[in-house]
Amino acid sequence: MPATGPFSKPEELGPERANQVRHHLAEVLASPAFAGSKRAQDFLQLIVEHSLAGRLDNLRERMIGAEMFGRPIDYDTANDAVVRVKATEVRKKLAQYYQEAAKPPGVRIELPSGSYVPKFYFETSEVASEPAAIPAAETPREDAARPEHHFPRWVIVSLAATTALLAVALYAGFRFWPHGGAPDFSIRKIAVLPLENLSGDANQDYFADGITDELISDLGQVSALRVISRTSTTTYKNTKKTLPEIARELSVDAVVEGSVLRDGNEVRITAQLIDARTDEHLWARSYVRDLTSVLALQGEVAQSIADEISINVTPQEQARLARPRSVRKEAQDLYLLGLHSLNTGDPRKATVYMQQAIEEDPDYAPAYAGLANAYGWLGEAGWIPYSDAFPKQKAAALNAIELDDALPEGHAELASAVLNLSWDWATCEREMQRTLELNMSSASTHAAYGNYLMRVGRVEEAIEQLKQLLELDPVSSRSLMSSGFAYYFARRYDEALAQIQRANAMGPNPLETIFPLGVIYVEKGMYQEALEQFHLLEGQPHAIGHAGNAYARMGRPDEALARVRQLEEHVQKDGIGRYEIALIYAGLGSKDEAFAWLEKSFAARDKGLTYLKIDPCLDPLRSDSRFQNLVRRVGVPGT
């Protein structure tokens, strides 16, 4: 059976053979195996064209890194595996292409392991040929060439038969895969584990945590990628669990891990990307920057990771990731301290740090967004007067947007502020949609948008948002509480209770679960258990109001009215409590008094009225014409 012999030099292929390779290359690049992987397509085309043209010196790792990936010619190949990772991906895609081929092609392109010089196999009418290859001595490799081996013909025939059977088995396995095709090894969902603080100083943990947060935020701006929220990944700080275990719990394809070392004005960040399904290291790189540009570095890291996994980054996303983001180091330090305060549940302290960061650098947009977050939190919780919290939240959010319209957090905070401050439903929804346009992986925005949709009565859409929230933030007590509240407002109290109990077991801040447990217990008729929860929050207006509502529904009006008097003092002192007094009178069945206080809430633009359409405590009033009139005046969409 004749076969074409091997070629010793690329030019010996001849024009006809070279054109045959190029024609086959075009078919490979247009195949489903390479579809959507622009980097893999470019890599294969580059090495094939260099090989056919005899430009073997261009097929060394360092040269490919410089030509294709823009690396400096003297870059550190030991720490930057960009070429090796892409070559591995191309080998896998070539294998997929030939496994899925309906019939043997006339040419076969292979990329041997450890080399960047492709080999070409040709079919004659009778049998496949030996590869058209470069002699081992001429193969440009980083390591030594391997000696050739010659085997008896019977061994070759036996191996060929075994290979053919294996190919048939592989084709059948892929052809009849349970999901209707070959398994998808692409990376579409990723988790960034907390970067390790290598300074040796625990007081620097906030800095490493802040850099982690910024990297998560920038990766989230790649719309084709889903990135797990920091509130879930933080639970794995100092964990002994293996990466495959973490990946299974988070349902991700890949994990980013690394370290931060801060030394004076210099920061070294090392990051590596690991295929969590195989525990295979795909990419690693170290970056050294000064403190003024370290936050902008996160966009560079995010772009590099997207390149390595061949995820599509739109031109708009590329521009956002590459936008200049310099900051004075003092302002950055204060901002990261403020971010740490928010992440540990102390918005009061966060306002101090964020204000100081703004004083150091008045053009620093993230600090304004962080300040807006802190004020919004304080207002939502009723810890400071609404008239103080929400105007400051709105002003800070507008400053953030003016300085950096591509900052998702600025739009998220504006959405929250305008709803609570002026019941501007249209602007609220528009700004939330803008936030998700900028960062589809923002778990907090999915939570806020779900809450908005619930308040306007779009229950199924709300629950869909909260399902996305739990996919992005699966092991977070805060996400479980958001989900629990959604089920509470949907009157699905058993499901609500299950979510809050899961959140309570998870921690780390059980104080956050007290209020939701209390309101759910009330609706389940478990009044004593509810009161035990509300008493833990003694003195907070929201808890006082709901405790009064519980006493009213228990048939204990004296205790209920005692809570009204407490709330009246709060109204005089800080303007909070009008809506909560209405809830108590609704529980007592005193409709006129309830509507009187709802009118006072309306006049004061109380944020509680944004829950008119869904609050279970107001159910006794819904049949009254005054109620529907009030809902329309508040402007709730769909009424």
Side-chain angles (χ1 to χ4, degrees):
M1 301 174 106
T4 305
F7 296 97
S8 60
K9 295 180 180 179
E11 55 266 28
E12 292 184 17
L13 284 172
E16 184 178 345
R17 288 290 200 188
N19 286 336
Q20 192 177 351
V21 170
R22 289 190 175 98
H23 178 74
H24 178 59
L25 173 64
E27 293 175 341
V28 172
L29 296 179
S31 70
F34 280 82
S37 300
K38 183 68 167 54
R39 283 284 194 176
Q41 292 172 334
D42 292 346
F43 188 96
L44 181 58
Q45 182 147 21
L46 180 143
I47 63 173
V48 168
E49 289 297 339
H50 278 321
S51 181
L52 292 177
R55 297 188 292 266
L56 303 185
D57 283 343
N58 291 49
L59 293 178
R60 295 185 181 276
E61 180 176 352
R62 191 178 304 282
M63 300 301 291
I64 295 172
E67 180 177 356
M68 182 170 175
F69 299 99
R71 301 294 194 258
I73 197 64
D74 59 346
Y75 82 102
D76 184 1
T77 57
N79 286 322
D80 188 347
V82 60
V83 177
R84 298 192 294 277
V85 169
K86 193 56 60 179
T88 299
E89 179 187 346
V90 167
R91 290 186 190 99
K92 291 178 180 178
K93 289 184 177 297
L94 283 170
Q96 179 186 343
Y97 171 79
Y98 293 115
Q99 287 164 356
E100 294 175 349
K103 60 181 181 180
V107 183
R108 184 183 181 95
I109 302 172
E110 288 191 2
L111 182 59
S113 178
S115 172
Y116 305 115
V117 181
K119 292 186 177 182
F120 312 114
Y121 294 78
F122 296 87
E123 291 267 343
T124 67
S125 57
E126 299 179 0
V127 68
S129 75
E130 293 292 328
I134 315 303
E138 297 182 24
T139 301
R141 299 174 51 138
E142 302 297 330
D143 54 347
R146 295 175 182 171
E148 295 186 7
H149 297 280
H150 301 277
F151 298 96
R153 181 176 177 80
W154 70 269
V155 172
I156 296 173
V157 171
S158 175
L159 287 171
T162 302
T163 302
L165 287 172
L166 181 58
V168 170
L170 284 170
Y171 174 79
F174 284 112
R175 173 69 178 79
F176 300 105
W177 192 265
H179 297 292
D184 183 6
F185 291 110
S186 59
I187 292 173
R188 293 292 178 267
K189 196 173 179 184
I190 198 167
V192 180
L193 297 184
L195 299 177
E196 184 181 0
N197 168 25
L198 295 183
S199 70
D201 180 3
N203 292 326
Q204 291 294 315
D205 280 354
Y206 78 92
F207 187 83
D209 291 343
I211 298 300
T212 305
D213 286 351
E214 295 299 308
L215 178 54
I216 290 171
S217 178
D218 277 353
L219 275 170
Q221 295 184 52
V222 179
S223 58
L225 193 63
R226 292 295 172 267
V227 186
I228 296 297
S229 169
R230 64 155 296 280
T231 50
S232 280
T233 57
T234 298
T235 63
Y236 295 98
K237 193 171 185 176
N238 302 319
T239 184
K240 294 189 183 334
K241 291 183 178 179
T242 65
L243 286 181
E245 286 176 318
I246 294 171
R248 281 194 299 272
E249 292 178 10
L250 296 176
S251 298
V252 296
D253 307 314
V255 169
V256 177
E257 64 176 10
S259 60
V260 176
L261 176 60
R262 179 178 178 179
D263 185 12
N265 290 328
E266 190 175 85
V267 179
R268 175 181 289 273
I269 298 176
T270 300
Q272 54 185 339
L273 179 68
I274 302 163
D275 189 323
R277 299 157 298 192
T278 62
D279 211 9
E280 176 186 1
H281 285 63
L282 302 178
W283 167 86
R285 192 172 179 188
S286 292
Y287 304 81
V288 178
R289 295 289 189 277
D290 63 62
L291 283 172
T292 62
S293 62
V294 70
L295 291 183
L297 168 63
Q298 306 311 314
E300 183 182 342
V301 178
Q303 179 68 65
S304 296
I305 291 171
D307 287 345
E308 299 318 314
I309 62 179
S310 297
I311 204 82
N312 182 51
V313 183
T314 69
Q316 295 87 347
E317 291 164 355
Q318 289 176 353
R320 288 200 293 267
L321 291 174
R323 69 193 190 278
R325 284 180 282 177
S326 62
V327 61
R328 294 187 62 189
K329 64 178 183 179
E330 296 84 0
Q332 176 188 266
D333 224 32
L334 290 162
Y335 165 72
L336 293 178
L337 285 165
L339 199 60
H340 179 73
S341 298
L342 286 171
N343 290 340
T344 53
D346 193 345
R348 291 184 189 275
K349 185 183 288 186
T351 63
V352 176
Y353 283 127
M354 295 301 180
Q355 288 279 20
Q356 291 174 345
I358 291 167
E359 289 169 7
E360 289 287 343
D361 189 343
D363 296 328
Y364 189 28
Y368 286 102
L371 183 62
N373 186 340
Y375 277 126
W377 187 338
L378 291 168
E380 286 276 2
W383 293 345
I384 66 174
Y386 302 149
S387 58
D388 189 21
F390 301 133
K392 289 181 177 179
Q393 180 187 22
K394 181 180 179 181
L398 287 171
N399 280 327
I401 294 170
E402 182 180 356
L403 290 166
D404 187 354
D405 184 64
L407 186 68
E409 293 79 8
H411 294 279
E413 294 305 324
L414 180 59
S416 173
V418 296
L419 184 58
N420 287 326
L421 182 62
S422 54
W423 307 333
D424 187 345
W425 302 88
T427 300
C428 176
E429 182 164 23
R430 184 176 66 248
E431 290 297 317
M432 285 186 180
Q433 290 173 343
R434 172 63 172 155
T435 306
L436 290 176
E437 176 188 324
L438 292 169
N439 187 348
M440 275 297 293
S441 292
S442 172
S444 61
T445 303
H446 284 289
Y449 194 26
N451 187 271
Y452 168 89
L453 292 168
M454 188 65 69
R455 283 189 269 187
V456 301
R458 292 154 61 182
V459 176
E460 292 308 315
E461 291 179 70
I463 289 176
E464 182 56 38
Q465 285 293 320
L466 290 158
K467 285 179 181 176
Q468 293 186 53
L469 164 67
L470 290 174
E471 286 182 10
L472 293 167
D473 203 10
V475 290
S476 158
S477 60
R478 193 163 296 170
S479 293
L480 288 168
M481 283 188 291
S482 295
S483 178
F485 269 123
Y487 286 121
Y488 164 75
F489 289 125
R491 277 54 171 183
R492 293 160 61 171
Y493 301 122
D494 288 337
E495 291 169 271
L497 182 59
Q499 296 291 73
I500 300 302
Q501 287 174 334
R502 285 177 60 198
N504 194 43
M506 188 175 294
N509 187 2
L511 286 174
E512 292 183 335
T513 66
I514 293 173
F515 183 77
L517 271 178
V519 296
I520 293 168
Y521 282 146
V522 170
E523 298 308 321
K524 287 177 65 67
M526 301 167 62
Y527 298 120
Q528 196 56 49
E529 291 85 347
L531 290 171
E532 289 172 4
Q533 298 298 316
F534 295 137
H535 289 163
L536 295 173
L537 301 173
E538 196 66 48
Q540 296 186 15
H542 296 171
I544 295 170
H546 281 273
N549 178 266
Y551 279 123
R553 292 159 73 171
M554 292 171 72
R556 295 165 61 178
D558 290 343
E559 286 95 334
L561 291 171
R563 269 63 190 176
V564 169
R565 289 189 289 273
Q566 283 182 266
L567 287 169
E568 287 175 334
E569 293 176 6
H570 275 283
V571 171
Q572 292 297 319
K573 182 176 65 175
D574 51 30
I576 300 175
R578 297 177 180 89
Y579 180 77
E580 286 71 25
I581 292 175
L583 299 186
I584 296 175
Y585 280 121
L588 289 168
S590 303
K591 290 187 178 183
D592 290 342
E593 288 83 354
F595 279 111
W597 279 99
L598 287 174
E599 286 297 333
K600 291 178 182 179
S601 298
F602 182 88
R605 275 292 200 265
D606 194 309
K607 66 102 177 174
L609 291 183
T610 62
Y611 290 90
L612 269 180
K613 200 168 184 177
I614 57 171
D615 193 336
C617 295
L618 295 176
D619 286 353
L621 308 179
R622 295 189 188 280
S623 60
D624 194 300
S625 61
R626 290 174 291 182
F627 188 84
Q628 292 307 317
N629 179 51
L630 182 60
V631 172
R632 283 191 294 271
R633 288 158 58 206
V634 171
V636 183
T639 56

